[in-house]
Amino acid sequence: MPPVNSGAAGPSSTSTQDGPAATTKKRNKPRYRRFTQQQLRGECKPILTYPIAISVIASVGILFILIGLGCTAISNKVVEVADRYETACVPENMHNNPVAYIQNPSQDKSCTRVLKVPKDMKKPIYIYYQLDRFYQNHRWYARSRNIRQLRDPKSARDTRRCKPEATANGSPIVPCGLVAWSLFNDTYSFARGNETLAVNKRGISWRSERDHLFGKHVYPRNFQSGGLIGGGTLDPSKPLSEQEDLMVWMRTAALPTFRKLYGRIEVDLRAGEVVTVAVQNRYNTYSFGGGKAVVLSTAGALGGKSSFLGRAYLAGGAACLGLALLLTLLGLLCPVPV
């Protein structure tokens, strides 16, 4: 009678024959380490006591307040002068009907505004136009364009999502869509006494827009040739990659009040000097009750003049200090036994 455990010899012989494979498998097995197996001893077990929590929160609050004061000081060094002209540039006899004034092509749209420089302004001095109550973030408006058409001349007939400004007299519009159609077309020229201040309009767009988004071989076609003119016109002899006013305008704003770069003045302005601005008031903001302004501004380390960042840090720092004070009172009134 064979032994009961005689069948156990089979697996042992098989393991003997598969020795190289088993050896290879063992070699591929990673080495045992307590770190990779998450078996290290927990030597550090921090416990947040009242003094530690209060110290950390108060330190963060003091740091935020210092940053906020620094941002506020940098913003205050930016010199800015702005002038709203949507009402001042309408003739007195047309104040009751500004829409008829702006839509009348025979009406003179020239207007002169005077800006007084409050402080010394170092070059470059940036020129912005500001619009109020203009909702460029409206979904239908913001989508009314075709990105492929802007960069590829073979996609000139691709006017999807461009209605109602997709075609004119049966031919495609380049660039199509409501965003391009509503291009801002007020113009400004500046003078200091008898000296004309040149406006540099090169480089006001982003390099990525000039090199990638707007094509170097895409030229305007049938633009503003429909029955209703929306805004500015484009030079048909220049490709879209050189139409920087269009690039700046088509970078839609998120808020209804926004500023867009118009150009730069490459000379210094002294405090007390008077700058005369010759405005061509052509853009129709009167139909929707919007406002317009021209802005001259220098730039600081954080950009233009804005108190939002400094106020945000100051508010955060004050909140942290208030929380630290609250925890201090709780620690004194309700002490936790150690």
Side-chain angles (χ1 to χ4, degrees):
M1 183 175 180
V4 177
N5 60 348
S6 61
S12 62
S13 61
T14 304
S15 61
T16 305
Q17 293 176 359
D18 296 338
T23 304
T24 305
K25 189 174 182 180
K26 289 181 179 179
R27 288 177 180 174
N28 292 337
K29 183 178 180 180
R31 292 181 60 185
Y32 170 78
R33 292 182 176 87
R34 295 175 64 187
F35 178 77
T36 57
Q37 297 301 319
Q38 301 183 13
Q39 294 178 350
L40 294 177
R41 294 178 60 186
E43 300 292 345
C44 181
K45 296 180 180 179
I47 299 176
L48 288 179
T49 61
Y50 271 118
I52 295 176
I54 292 171
S55 301
V56 172
I57 296 175
S59 300
V60 173
I62 294 173
L63 179 62
F64 275 23
I65 288 178
L66 293 176
I67 295 175
L69 293 175
C71 294
T72 303
I74 292 174
S75 177
N76 290 336
K77 291 182 180 179
V78 176
V79 184
E80 178 182 292
V81 54
D83 180 71
R84 297 180 63 94
Y85 62 89
E86 74 276 359
T87 302
C89 286
V90 176
E92 293 185 4
N93 59 341
M94 301 292 291
H95 277 178
N96 294 330
N97 194 359
V99 176
Y101 154 76
I102 202 70
Q103 292 180 348
N104 186 356
S106 61
Q107 185 76 43
D108 184 20
K109 302 300 192 299
S110 60
C111 175
T112 302
R113 304 297 297 163
V114 176
L115 305 179
K116 187 174 182 179
V117 180
K119 298 180 182 179
D120 291 345
M121 303 180 72
K122 301 295 184 181
K123 63 179 181 182
I125 300 170
Y126 296 93
I127 307 168
Y128 298 92
Y129 57 87
Q130 176 178 312
L131 294 179
D132 302 329
R133 297 176 57 84
F134 194 112
Y135 293 85
Q136 276 197 317
N137 61 343
H138 191 284
R139 184 170 181 267
W140 184 34
Y141 176 88
R143 290 187 57 182
S144 184
R145 68 175 81 192
N146 193 305
I147 301 298
R148 184 178 300 177
Q149 187 203 51
L150 296 175
R151 63 170 177 258
D152 187 5
K154 297 180 181 179
S155 301
R157 294 188 172 275
D158 189 357
T159 57
R160 291 173 294 179
R161 298 182 178 178
C162 288
K163 293 182 179 180
E165 293 299 319
T167 59
N169 301 322
S171 300
I173 298 174
V174 181
C176 66
L178 289 174
V179 183
W181 173 79
S182 59
L183 175 65
F184 186 78
N185 62 339
D186 282 6
T187 58
Y188 313 110
S189 58
F190 300 85
R192 178 177 53 183
N194 296 326
E195 176 189 2
T196 300
L197 301 177
V199 178
N200 183 7
K201 297 180 70 67
R202 295 185 60 86
I204 62 175
S205 61
W206 294 348
R207 181 179 297 178
S208 59
E209 294 171 333
R210 298 190 298 268
D211 295 344
H212 303 289
L213 185 57
F214 292 82
K216 298 181 180 180
H217 302 287
V218 180
Y219 293 85
R221 293 167 51 186
N222 302 314
F223 188 71
Q224 300 288 20
S225 60
L228 183 62
I229 304 300
T233 58
L234 298 174
D235 188 349
S237 63
K238 290 184 178 180
L240 296 186
S241 61
E242 298 180 11
Q243 313 260 10
E244 297 199 48
D245 285 327
L246 175 69
M247 301 179 200
V248 173
W249 177 255
M250 294 194 68
R251 196 188 315 138
T252 52
L255 300 176
T257 297
F258 58 87
R259 293 177 179 179
K260 290 183 180 290
L261 186 60
Y262 181 83
R264 296 185 301 272
I265 297 176
E266 304 289 352
V267 296
D268 296 338
L269 296 178
R270 301 299 179 187
E273 289 184 334
V274 175
V275 176
T276 304
V277 187
V279 181
Q280 288 295 323
N281 182 26
R282 302 190 184 99
Y283 200 68
N284 185 7
T285 59
Y286 306 99
S287 297
F288 55 88
K292 296 187 286 187
V294 56
V295 182
L296 299 182
S297 175
T298 59
L302 299 177
K305 191 178 187 65
S306 175
S307 59
F308 171 77
L309 188 60
R311 291 180 179 178
Y313 272 109
L314 290 175
C320 290
L321 292 181
L323 180 59
L325 179 60
L326 177 62
L327 291 177
T328 302
L329 295 176
L330 289 177
L332 294 176
L333 298 177
C334 305
V336 178
V338 180

